[in-house]
Amino acid sequence: MTPPERHGLGKRNNVWALDQELDRPMDKEAETLRNENMQKKISAWLILRLAFQSLGVVFGDLGTSPLYVFYNTFPRGIQDPEDVIGALSLIIYSLTLIPLIKYVYIVSRANDGGQGGTFALYSLLCRHANIKTIPNQDRTDDEVTTYSRATFGEKSIAAETKRWLESKMSRKRALLIVVLIGSCMVIGDGILTPAISVLSAAGGIKLDHPKMSDEVVVLVSVVILIGLFSMQRYGTDTIAWLCAPVVLVWFLLIGVIGAYNIWRYDASVLKAFSPVYIYRYFKRGGVDGWTSLGGIMLSITGTEAVFADLSHFPVSAIQLAFTVVVFPSLLLAYTGQAAYLMKNSNHVADVFYRSIPDSIYWPVFLVATAAAIVASQATISATFSLIKQALAMSCFPRVKVVHTSNRFLHQIYISDVNWILMVLCVSVTAGFRNQTQIGNASGTAVAVVMLVTTFLMILVMLLVWRCNWIWVIIFTVLSLVVEGTYFSAVLFKIDQGGWVPLAIAAAFFAIMYVWHYGAVKRYEYEIHSKVSMAWILGLGPSLGLVRVPGVGLVYTELASGVPHIFSHFITNLPAIHSIVVFVCLKYLPVYTVPEDERFLIRRIGLRTFHMFRCVVRYGYNDLHKKDDDFEEKLFEGLHMYIRVEYLMEDSSYTENSLYSPAIEQLNTRELQTDSNGGTFSSIVDAMITSVESIVPVESPQLGTNSLRPSNEGAREDRFDDLEFLRRCRDAGVVHIMGNTVIRARRESNFMKKLTVDFAYAFLRKMCRENSVIFNVPHESLLNVGQIFYV
């Protein structure tokens, strides 16, 4: 059977061309253009450009660690110069094993279509195993192009892992809790990193002005931080172009200064590349050497932001920037500082500024301050990406997400979150006034995030990559040995500032889990209280329902069945619009849903009822377009659905007609078509006269007996229905949304009442309304209030 695409079905920009051009194949020029668009790849020049930009957004945090690592490693001074060699050896191998090998070249490959972070890993797992706590999956989801997943044998390790995860709801919840903990720690790091980076850079002023008080340094840091967060609304793309040159100069400077210090002070520090000195360091230092790992760990802070910021730049650009610029510069910087300390061990408190040649001190100070500001951008951008993903997973209260770039839709800004981060960051900076305690706090957050990433990567390697168990064991052992060692060290610093990220993470975890719990309970109630179509049909005209002109878009979370909101509406107001469309906005565990696969449309009941269902599917990186654009695409989809529906029943097209293969395929597949520049996909239900029926409505110039036996009548009905759709739309479109309040049942326990009646209710009042998130104009909005007892 010839596929319909060959005959132009679903590939034309003009809807009316569907009838006129089915008798000739797509011209070669259009087909060539389509192939070129499908096979288009990022050019080498664009990769270089994005690699350059990534320096300013992704690597700022990791790059400014030389400002404070050695001081936090030896807060009480250096007792033995050999300790400097041991600490340097630990830094070298930490940078090599964690950022370079694990994150840049292994974990980054686990990206979900270019998206990184804990939620991206979780979405990958959700596609390969039924572990979502909100069971809204549908068989049509598997047909989405981006819904790719691996297949495996029933007796494989992957299958065993899948069955183990799916067997109990407690395991699904536990996995979600692990993901939320890792995400909250990333948010905590997004608060701590700007504080320690800016405070450390601003502290360089005191080297030239030793009488300056700490209060002045803190005040300067606070002013810088407020300016940084105020810039976020201009977007990552703008900030990247401003910051990337600064960070590039920074990396070049610290690399050159490091090489100069090695040559000038002590080239013997190069022996730190031997791991033997790590063993000697721990043997000589004992418990103090072990706890000093909390400071050494700061050399790899920002690594988690590298993975979370994958959504802002392609993997190849990040790998290029890190391998060519970041990694060599950091090795030279730390080695140069170690060489300086071998001769000046009493300068460990401000080794970075002390090791700068006097002739270039102030230029380097200015660049260091600018780089510290940029360093904060990495974790701020990572936090925005993470919150956007959490929104799609129903794990965060509704906030307004603004896409700041027309070219790169993954570059976003979240105003509400930005100002919360600013307040917390300023509070931490003004409250501690000490980079040592802030460093301890940052180390705790990073250690937890890395352990969570390792755990999720083990599942990804088993379920998604289907790696040999030997490779899984090697990855697990190496990761846990390094990260477990660091985690055990930071536990000693809990009372020295390490409690801060735990407190911040606990607060955000409570918010995310309570919101998700409320979303699950609301969905479960919707499922159990949905109205059967037979019941509504049985009501018949007894309610005296009136069909008023216009189109009613009834928003629901259900992809099948009639939601409770609709029965509640017609019970209190016995009238419905001439055309009713149940709109289900559904997020899939994918980074994006192509627009030509976004709209799934089918009819409910007989044609004369004028009832439709439209499931609109989004990925967690997609943006709900402006209302006018959304409406336009929805009605174009309905327009095409009606045309194809009649086409399927028009017997005037014989088996030799070009429509025949398309019609045959439409019974089991999707119809994809371009319509005035937009794309749609409609699943055509062959059972047109299903039991999903409601009181019929008469179209203009069209009685209830609209199905004529003749082909000519079918054509007339088609154009009458299209005209009826146009007239109803001109009469007005009303968005009907549920203003749902959930309450705990009277017999519920105290914790459930506290969670639902107080915590969830408070979050719901504080967050933005659905109408704001979906850009629904106020004059077209109709809220239907209802209370759910869960």
Side-chain angles (χ1 to χ4, degrees):
M1 181 177 66
T2 306
E5 288 82 2
R6 287 193 178 180
H7 305 295
L9 184 58
K11 300 299 179 184
R12 293 295 179 185
N13 291 329
N14 193 330
V15 174
W16 299 104
L18 187 65
D19 288 333
Q20 301 171 5
E21 298 189 9
L22 281 171
D23 57 346
R24 74 168 185 257
M26 178 182 290
D27 57 88
K28 293 183 178 180
E29 183 180 354
E31 187 171 3
T32 301
L33 181 61
R34 183 191 67 181
N35 292 335
E36 288 177 354
N37 291 334
M38 293 176 61
Q39 299 174 1
K40 184 178 181 180
K41 297 181 180 179
I42 300 177
S43 65
W45 170 250
L46 183 58
I47 288 291
L48 290 174
R49 173 176 174 268
L50 292 174
F52 170 72
Q53 282 188 300
S54 70
L55 292 173
V57 176
V58 178
F59 297 111
D61 183 11
L62 192 63
T64 53
S65 296
L67 286 169
Y68 45 78
V69 167
F70 275 110
Y71 170 62
N72 284 273
T73 303
F74 303 107
R76 292 188 293 270
I78 299 173
Q79 306 302 323
D80 188 338
E82 286 298 311
D83 289 344
V84 177
I85 304 297
L88 176 61
S89 186
L90 280 167
I91 292 172
I92 291 172
Y93 283 97
S94 296
L95 284 171
T96 303
L97 292 175
I98 302 299
L100 179 65
I101 296 178
K102 180 185 175 182
Y103 274 88
V104 174
Y105 284 100
I106 296 180
V107 176
S108 63
R109 291 182 58 239
N111 66 86
D112 186 16
Q115 310 302 304
T118 51
F119 275 108
L121 294 177
Y122 182 64
S123 71
L124 275 177
L125 296 174
C126 287
R127 294 208 299 271
H128 290 78
N130 184 21
I131 56 176
K132 285 189 66 178
T133 53
I134 299 181
N136 61 350
Q137 298 93 336
D138 188 79
R139 61 181 178 82
T140 58
D141 297 342
D142 297 344
E143 300 174 7
V144 176
T145 304
T146 53
Y147 204 95
S148 59
R149 58 181 176 181
T151 57
F152 36 76
E154 288 296 323
K155 296 183 179 180
S156 63
I157 298 178
E160 291 291 336
T161 305
K162 180 176 181 291
R163 284 191 290 268
W164 182 81
L165 287 173
E166 295 176 346
S167 59
K168 293 184 179 180
M169 179 57 71
S170 59
R171 291 170 184 166
K172 299 179 183 180
R173 293 195 187 103
L175 180 60
L176 177 64
I177 288 173
V178 170
V179 172
L180 293 181
I181 290 174
S183 302
C184 293
M185 285 297 179
V186 172
I187 296 174
D189 192 39
I191 295 169
L192 296 168
T193 294
I196 189 174
S197 299
V198 174
L199 194 60
S200 299
I205 303 176
K206 293 187 65 177
L207 189 63
D208 195 61
H209 300 81
K211 294 183 179 180
M212 181 178 292
S213 64
D214 292 337
E215 286 75 13
V216 175
V217 175
V218 172
L219 180 61
V220 171
S221 301
V222 168
V223 171
I224 292 174
L225 289 171
I226 293 175
L228 171 67
F229 283 99
S230 300
M231 286 179 58
Q232 296 302 313
R233 68 178 184 271
Y234 296 109
T236 304
D237 191 51
T238 303
I239 294 175
W241 274 115
L242 294 174
C243 299
V246 173
V247 178
L248 179 60
V249 172
W250 165 255
F251 279 120
L252 294 177
L253 277 176
I254 64 174
V256 171
I257 293 173
Y260 169 78
N261 287 334
I262 295 172
W263 169 78
R264 179 180 178 183
Y265 293 104
D266 193 346
S268 67
V269 293
L270 295 175
K271 61 186 179 182
F273 282 86
S274 171
V276 173
Y277 291 92
I278 296 177
Y279 168 75
R280 294 179 181 177
Y281 178 77
F282 287 131
K283 183 179 179 180
R284 184 171 51 253
V287 176
D288 290 339
W290 192 268
T291 56
S292 70
L293 287 174
I296 292 174
M297 189 174 187
L298 295 178
S299 65
I300 56 176
T301 57
T303 303
E304 71 288 346
V306 172
F307 182 50
D309 281 328
L310 280 180
S311 60
H312 295 269
F313 301 97
V315 175
S316 55
I318 290 179
Q319 289 176 340
L320 178 65
F322 186 84
T323 307
V324 176
V325 178
V326 179
F327 185 66
S329 299
L330 289 176
L331 290 183
L332 287 171
Y334 286 116
T335 306
Q337 289 185 29
Y340 178 84
L341 289 175
M342 292 295 287
K343 303 296 183 181
N344 306 275
S345 59
N346 59 325
H347 291 170
V348 68
D350 44 18
V351 59
F352 175 78
Y353 287 111
R354 293 277 187 178
S355 63
I356 299 173
D358 294 338
S359 58
I360 60 171
Y361 175 81
W362 284 109
V364 174
F365 169 77
L366 294 176
V367 175
T369 304
I373 298 172
V374 174
S376 309
Q377 184 61 46
T379 50
I380 295 172
S381 300
T383 302
F384 289 161
S385 298
L386 185 147
I387 295 297
K388 177 68 168 65
Q389 295 170 4
L391 284 170
M393 299 289 181
S394 300
C395 291
F396 200 82
R398 294 183 296 268
V399 290
K400 186 74 171 181
V401 178
V402 178
H403 286 243
T404 57
S405 173
N406 293 326
R407 300 185 60 188
F408 305 104
L409 293 180
H410 43 259
Q411 297 183 358
I412 60 176
Y413 166 68
I414 305 176
S415 175
D416 301 333
V417 175
N418 181 66
W419 301 124
I420 291 175
L421 290 179
M422 187 193 75
V423 171
L424 293 175
C425 184
V426 169
S427 300
V428 168
T429 304
F432 279 108
R433 304 184 180 187
N434 188 319
Q435 58 173 291
T436 301
Q437 289 187 318
I438 301 177
N440 294 336
S442 181
T444 303
V446 173
V448 174
V449 173
M450 289 182 176
L451 287 173
V452 169
T453 302
T454 296
F455 174 73
L456 295 177
M457 277 299 301
I458 294 171
L459 296 178
V460 169
M461 294 176 76
L462 290 172
L463 281 176
V464 183
W465 292 352
R466 293 167 294 163
C467 295
N468 188 287
W469 62 270
I470 296 178
W471 291 111
V472 177
I473 291 176
I474 292 174
F475 174 83
T476 304
V477 170
L478 289 177
S479 297
L480 292 182
V481 165
V482 177
E483 296 164 6
T485 302
Y486 277 124
F487 181 71
S488 64
V490 299
L491 291 178
F492 290 95
K493 304 291 184 71
I494 294 295
D495 61 338
Q496 302 173 33
W499 59 270
V500 174
L502 299 180
I504 295 173
F508 276 95
F509 176 82
I511 292 173
M512 298 173 91
Y513 191 80
V514 166
W515 186 263
H516 184 75
Y517 179 81
V520 170
K521 291 301 179 183
R522 189 176 68 248
Y523 183 81
E524 289 176 351
Y525 186 92
E526 289 268 15
I527 288 291
H528 292 106
S529 64
K530 66 181 181 180
V531 182
S532 67
M533 294 304 304
W535 179 80
I536 293 183
L537 182 62
L539 297 176
S542 60
L543 284 177
L545 296 180
V546 178
R547 303 302 289 269
V548 297
V551 180
L553 303 181
V554 183
Y555 289 80
T556 174
E557 296 183 10
L558 302 180
S560 62
V562 176
H564 183 267
I565 178 181
F566 187 70
S567 63
H568 183 71
F569 174 72
I570 64 173
T571 300
N572 291 274
L573 182 63
I576 53 177
H577 293 86
S578 300
I579 294 179
V580 177
V581 183
F582 293 103
V583 181
C584 172
L585 299 178
K586 177 180 176 181
Y587 281 91
L588 303 184
V590 295
Y591 67 97
T592 186
V593 175
E595 288 198 15
D596 59 338
E597 303 175 33
R598 183 159 295 166
F599 289 78
L600 302 180
I601 300 174
R602 70 184 177 102
R603 187 185 293 275
I604 298 177
L606 297 172
R607 291 191 183 93
T608 52
F609 297 161
H610 295 283
M611 307 285 290
F612 300 90
R613 183 184 314 287
C614 176
V615 179
V616 189
R617 303 177 296 185
Y618 292 96
Y620 55 76
N621 198 42
D622 289 329
L623 171 68
H624 182 84
K625 302 296 184 181
K626 293 292 184 182
D627 182 68
D628 292 341
D629 187 51
F630 176 78
E631 279 188 20
E632 186 66 28
K633 292 186 177 182
L634 176 60
F635 280 104
E636 286 177 352
L638 287 171
H639 184 278
M640 179 53 62
Y641 179 91
I642 294 172
R643 293 170 59 80
V644 173
E645 186 182 49
Y646 277 96
L647 177 64
M648 291 172 61
E649 296 186 348
D650 195 341
S651 59
S652 64
Y653 290 88
T654 64
E655 285 189 359
N656 294 327
S657 171
L658 293 176
Y659 262 118
S660 298
I663 296 172
E664 183 178 344
Q665 187 170 353
L666 278 170
N667 288 313
T668 56
R669 300 283 294 178
E670 300 177 4
L671 171 68
Q672 300 180 356
T673 179
D674 291 337
S675 175
N676 293 330
T679 44
F680 309 93
S681 111
S682 305
I683 293 198
V684 181
D685 190 354
M687 299 299 294
I688 300 299
T689 57
S690 67
V691 296
E692 289 189 278
S693 307
I694 266 191
V695 183
V697 60
E698 293 191 4
S699 305
Q701 303 177 359
L702 188 67
T704 56
N705 184 23
S706 63
L707 299 178
R708 299 183 179 88
S710 67
N711 297 329
E712 194 65 31
R715 287 196 187 93
E716 292 178 6
D717 289 342
R718 174 179 62 183
F719 293 111
D720 284 341
D721 273 2
L722 294 176
E723 177 63 18
F724 181 58
L725 176 63
R726 186 189 65 79
R727 291 186 180 182
C728 287
R729 185 184 181 186
D730 292 342
V733 178
V734 177
H735 300 258
I736 304 174
M737 291 185 170
N739 189 10
T740 306
V741 177
I742 66 172
R743 293 279 186 266
R745 297 181 185 274
R746 184 172 301 177
E747 63 273 14
S748 301
N749 57 48
F750 173 76
M751 282 303 299
K752 185 174 182 179
K753 289 181 178 179
L754 180 65
T755 302
V756 175
D757 294 345
F758 295 95
Y760 181 78
F762 174 77
L763 293 176
R764 188 177 174 278
K765 289 180 180 179
M766 295 299 294
C767 73
R768 294 178 182 264
E769 295 292 337
N770 267 328
S771 58
V772 177
I773 302 301
F774 298 142
N775 300 293
V776 175
H778 182 73
E779 61 274 11
S780 302
L781 176 63
L782 177 61
N783 273 320
V784 180
Q786 51 187 345
I787 300 178
F788 291 169
Y789 288 94
V790 298

